[in-house]
Amino acid sequence: MKSIAIFASGTGSNFAALQAKFGDDQSGIHIACMVCDHADAPVVGKAKAAGVPVITINYRDYPSKAAAEAAIVAALPPVDMLVLAGFMRILGPTLLDAYPQRIVNLHPALLPSFPGRTGIEDAFAYGVRVTGVTVHYVDAGIDSGQIIAQEPVRVLVNDTIDTLAARIHAVEHKLLPETVQQLLEQD
Ligand code: GRF
């Protein structure tokens, strides 16, 4: 049995997708915990409802990012991979060095285009006809680590941000769990 820790900050629809695929442990992958940097984020309720242990870290309670990350490292049970699913923070060396090549992130655009928090909106505003979803290893940069998997999503002539975002999220919910499973099966 392999185990993962999911990191999330907000809605948690990708947490829910990972939970749907791995929650019963039948796949050989166990969700050991969910780490959140906002105690009142909707993802916290989703994790609790699913019976997944929640580690909440309020970065403002710590003197530095390194101190907050050290608290996360200390609180984490042993896991094979950290899965960032909507975790809205840039990781520092404390976490990166504790899990070398073991941290993956989900991004709602085809990297290296449109990194950052507003990848869907930036791609739409630019006018690209194809955007998509990327799963990549995390490094110290902003969405700059080695790409693991990508899937394109066409921008349709009648798309609004909302209709495009809905199709991108649907692809995310499939690509992230599949990629995590493939990586851990190869491990
Ligand atoms: C996703 O679009 C992910 O790509 C981005 O943040 C969003 C998180 O959504 N990094 P959710 O909280 O999983 O619903």
Side-chain angles (χ1 to χ4, degrees):
M1 179 76 78
K2 296 285 171 72
S3 65
I4 61 173
I6 300 170
F7 283 50
S9 298
T11 310
S13 67
N14 286 285
F15 168 84
L18 290 158
Q19 167 67 23
K21 191 164 176 84
F22 304 132
D24 60 5
D25 291 351
Q26 292 299 305
S27 59
I29 295 170
H30 173 65
I31 301 174
C33 63
M34 197 280 293
V35 176
C36 187
D37 56 341
H38 292 291
D40 52 359
V43 69
V44 172
K46 288 186 170 80
K48 286 184 175 162
V52 172
V54 176
I55 298 171
T56 307
I57 299 285
N58 183 354
Y59 277 56
R60 274 166 301 189
D61 292 344
Y62 297 88
S64 63
K65 180 188 283 195
E69 291 191 348
I72 294 174
V73 171
L76 278 171
V79 290
D80 298 287
M81 182 179 287
L82 309 187
V83 179
L84 275 48
F87 189 65
M88 305 308 267
R89 286 181 185 274
I90 307 301
L91 300 195
T94 307
L95 262 169
L96 292 170
D97 293 350
Y99 295 90
Q101 285 291 92
R102 302 231 153 237
I103 311 178
V104 301
N105 181 47
L106 174 67
H107 184 73
L110 291 180
L111 294 171
S113 294
F114 311 115
R117 283 169 177 251
T118 52
I120 298 175
E121 293 84 350
D122 294 348
F124 186 78
Y126 192 93
V128 294
R129 304 324 304 170
V130 180
T131 181
V133 174
T134 302
V135 180
H136 64 95
Y137 286 111
V138 176
D139 65 11
I142 298 175
D143 301 321
S144 55
Q146 185 195 340
I147 290 169
I148 304 164
Q150 291 187 304
E151 192 163 320
V153 173
R154 278 187 186 283
V155 182
L156 307 177
V157 276
N158 292 327
D159 260 336
T160 62
I161 289 274
D162 288 345
T163 59
L164 176 62
R167 291 202 313 286
I168 287 177
H169 292 315
V171 170
E172 288 187 316
H173 299 159
K174 218 170 130 280
L175 188 67
L176 181 62
E178 281 176 6
T179 305
V180 167
Q181 184 163 31
Q182 277 169 17
L183 286 172
L184 288 173
E185 280 173 356
Q186 286 163 13
D187 208 18

